[in-house]
Amino acid sequence: MYQATSEVRVRFAPSPTGYLHVGGARSALFNLLYAKHNNGKFILRIEDTDQERSTQESLEMVVSDLQWLGLNWDEGVDPKTLKDIGPYGPYKQSERLDIYKKYAQQLLDQGKAYYCFMTDEELDAAREKIKAAGLHTHVESPYENKLMSEALERIAKGDKAVVRFKTRELRKEYILKDLIRGEVKFPSDMVGDFVMLRSDGMPVYNFCCVIDDYLMKISHVLRAEEHLPNTLRQLMIYEGLGWKTPEFGHISLILDDDRQKLSKRKGAVACDQFKKDGYLPSAMNNYMALLGWSHPEDKEIMSLGDMEAAFTLDRVHASGAVFDRVKLKWMNAQHLRALPNNEIWKLISPYLIEVGLKLPTDSDWQNRSVETFKSYMEILTDAVTLYSPLDDSKYEINMVESDEALKMESTKVVLQAWKELVAAHPTETFTEADFLAIQDAVKAKSGQKGKNLFFPIRVALIGKPHGAELKILVPLMHKKSILERAEKAFALINGKAGALC
Ligand code: GLU
């Protein structure tokens, strides 16, 4: 039986058993890029037959993360209602059980699958025996060639059986022409009769996957390398059913800098976490695409559209890709800084609000502040540290860090001069040059220089002698606020009560 279609149809098929891992997101991205490049369709199928581990919460999270990344699918579940969209539904495997039953029955009827009544204990004992004999064979089920009528009788009596796929006649060397890895050879003895349906009737991944990929007319299966052993089982099922296989491409693993499989010990791996940490979806996509693929002109900063236009599988390499968090941050900065200032403000606002910062609401100030700060920002959360010194209600003197400055003999005279010169400034705001001029004037008036000069001014502006660059902060502050802060610092060194309120 051959499928008559030349349309490219690819799918991302997450199991909703946790968060969307960056590795999963990259598989989704590669599928989307391949579909778009070939005017094909990208399908989202939910593989939720593992009822114990699948949750609605995880499904919603995976869907919302894919949406956040902008990896929009043509068919699958509707992102809002999670109802089916597309002609090949249902797209949730838990709603396709009758379909799997039908094909399982077909394989049973054809003698290509059988009911197996081995208990866990019997299986363990058989495995032990093989091991003790020093063999590397698979457990042979005594039920492989039993009469169907006998099996059905036992089942009718309430005995539990799994359905196993019969591999005996299919055991040979399988050669897969993988689109990414080239020829992959599977030895003939790699798998024994594997379970297709559990004893509760629930189908297992390898079986569902074949049925769905076939019925959903999937032309190319692009998925992680770790699925290669499953691919062998799936090739056998295709053969058993007499179906043409799709093309396969197995994408290499994402590795940590120690070349181990990417793990959360080294930092975020969940898309949701990157989102919370203030990464932009455009940067995530750009970075993930380069984990295993490269642009023909070696372009580095790319939009989704750029990548869709250039994505071909011959540029996807088979070796593991190292996840470089420093590079990802750098890339995020490039995407962030390329946005208009008002866009950046919109993006950072939620983070500023979340930590309760009170900042000016006029858009001129907001745009100006972004213009000042964006070259210091790599991820959106960096805005919190940058903007915090600008919130008057957060101004307080760090007594530990400021101890030395507060105890210096000269501090009083420096702050006195600072207050006077700021007050005498003719306008409500200051340019960088105004600030530097006033600082020079304080130096002249107080006769102080170096840390004797700078520490007190810093404490009077940001509450500590080190930290943010004053010449970029002051132009974003108002005279009133600078004076109030100076008064507080001055009062403190004069030992006035309530100075730290
Ligand atoms: N549900 C499988 C997973 O999440 C999908 C594998 C595949 O793409 O076939 O790993």
Side-chain angles (χ1 to χ4, degrees), residues 267-426:
V269 291
C271 280
D272 181 50
Q273 192 58 49
F274 287 108
K275 178 167 143 190
K276 287 191 187 122
D277 290 347
Y279 285 86
L280 301 180
S282 60
M284 290 299 294
N285 287 331
N286 190 164
Y287 186 69
M288 290 191 301
L290 294 176
L291 289 172
W293 172 76
S294 60
H295 188 277
E297 289 145 37
D298 271 333
K299 268 196 193 163
E300 202 156 36
I301 304 298
M302 288 171 278
S303 67
L304 205 52
D306 295 333
M307 298 189 287
E308 286 170 10
F311 190 84
T312 52
L313 291 177
D314 57 336
R315 299 199 61 84
V316 176
H317 33 88
S319 49
V322 175
F323 195 78
D324 179 346
R325 292 172 193 278
V326 175
K327 176 123 191 233
L328 169 61
K329 236 185 201 181
W330 170 83
M331 196 164 270
N332 201 69
Q334 310 311 307
H335 280 261
L336 183 61
R337 291 171 201 164
L339 295 174
N341 290 342
N342 61 342
E343 274 300 309
I344 299 182
W345 176 263
K346 268 193 229 143
L347 291 167
I348 58 176
S349 281
Y351 295 92
L352 303 177
I353 292 168
E354 199 187 330
V355 293
L357 287 187
K358 286 184 205 67
L359 297 165
T361 49
D362 69 285
S363 53
D364 277 353
W365 183 89
Q366 292 169 348
N367 290 338
R368 206 156 51 81
S369 68
V370 170
E371 183 60 32
T372 306
F373 285 146
K374 68 181 171 189
S375 57
Y376 299 87
M377 267 184 236
E378 288 189 302
I379 53 177
L380 300 174
T381 39
D382 288 341
V384 172
T385 318
L386 291 164
Y387 278 85
S388 289
L390 295 173
D391 179 348
D392 287 334
S393 68
K394 293 261 186 296
Y395 173 75
E396 57 182 14
I397 296 169
N398 183 319
M399 298 302 282
V400 178
E401 288 185 40
S402 309
D403 189 52
E404 185 188 351
L406 294 171
K407 281 186 182 145
M408 287 189 298
E409 276 291 308
S410 50
T411 293
K412 199 168 164 183
V413 52
V414 170
L415 286 188
Q416 183 63 44
W418 168 249
K419 274 195 326 165
E420 282 170 19
L421 286 157
V422 169
H425 185 64

Side-chain angles (χ1 to χ4, degrees), residues 53-86:
R53 294 176 60 227
S54 302
T55 64
Q56 180 72 11
E57 194 194 351
S58 162
L59 171 59
E60 285 167 13
M61 196 161 153
V62 169
V63 165
S64 100
D65 287 347
L66 290 171
Q67 285 260 289
W68 172 69
L69 289 167
L71 306 181
N72 301 326
W73 48 97
D74 304 295
E75 296 172 28
V77 293
D78 180 275
K80 285 203 186 73
T81 61
L82 300 179
K83 297 224 162 68
D84 289 324
I85 39 168

Side-chain angles (χ1 to χ4, degrees), residues 1-13:
M1 220 189 296
Y2 280 83
Q3 296 179 74
T5 173
S6 56
E7 191 190 18
V8 165
R9 290 176 57 81
V10 292
R11 83 310 188 266
F12 176 54

Side-chain angles (χ1 to χ4, degrees), residues 163-165 167 191-196 206 233-234 236-237:
V163 174
R164 283 187 190 277
F165 185 74
T167 57
V191 296
D193 294 356
F194 54 87
V195 174
M196 266 170 47
N206 278 309
R233 292 175 177 84
Q234 294 176 17
M236 288 176 153
I237 300 175

Side-chain angles (χ1 to χ4, degrees), residues 127-310:
R127 281 193 198 109
E128 278 305 314
K129 219 167 138 188
I130 290 172
K131 212 168 128 192
L135 299 170
H136 292 284
T137 53
H138 301 281
V139 172
E140 304 278 355
S141 166
Y143 301 95
E144 185 187 337
N145 294 313
K146 285 271 187 303
L147 282 177
M148 180 62 82
S149 53
E150 275 175 35
L152 292 177
E153 247 170 60
R154 282 189 69 170
I155 289 168
K157 273 196 272 151
D159 284 356
K160 292 270 171 237
V162 299
V163 174
R164 283 187 190 277
F165 185 74
K166 210 188 265 186
T167 57
R168 188 180 296 277
E169 278 118 59
L170 300 170
R171 283 182 211 153
K172 59 175 181 220
E173 190 179 73
Y174 277 79
I175 299 176
L176 172 71
K177 292 212 166 44
D178 191 280
L179 295 168
I180 296 166
R181 326 192 76 75
E183 246 182 36
V184 179
K185 285 192 185 136
F186 299 103
S188 58
D189 58 354
M190 215 174 110
V191 296
D193 294 356
F194 54 87
V195 174
M196 266 170 47
L197 302 185
R198 296 192 193 93
S199 57
D200 59 4
M202 280 308 267
V204 302
Y205 158 71
N206 278 309
F207 182 59
C208 303
C209 183
V210 169
I211 305 295
D212 291 348
D213 284 342
Y214 179 77
L215 295 179
M216 293 179 184
K217 295 196 163 38
I218 299 303
S219 60
H220 297 74
V221 171
L222 305 176
R223 63 182 168 207
E225 181 189 348
E226 59 206 356
H227 284 292
L228 266 174
N230 290 325
T231 302
L232 171 61
R233 292 175 177 84
Q234 294 176 17
L235 290 175
M236 288 176 153
I237 300 175
Y238 278 106
E239 197 168 332
L241 286 163
W243 290 348
K244 181 180 183 285
T245 58
E247 302 273 0
F248 289 93
H250 290 88
I251 312 165
S252 61
L253 285 181
I254 302 181
L255 308 171
D256 266 321
D257 47 12
D258 53 8
R259 299 200 77 81
Q260 298 299 307
K261 194 176 158 187
L262 185 68
S263 86
K264 55 182 169 199
R265 277 179 301 113
K266 294 282 178 85
V269 291
C271 280
D272 181 50
Q273 192 58 49
F274 287 108
K275 178 167 143 190
K276 287 191 187 122
D277 290 347
Y279 285 86
L280 301 180
S282 60
M284 290 299 294
N285 287 331
N286 190 164
Y287 186 69
M288 290 191 301
L290 294 176
L291 289 172
W293 172 76
S294 60
H295 188 277
E297 289 145 37
D298 271 333
K299 268 196 193 163
E300 202 156 36
I301 304 298
M302 288 171 278
S303 67
L304 205 52
D306 295 333
M307 298 189 287
E308 286 170 10

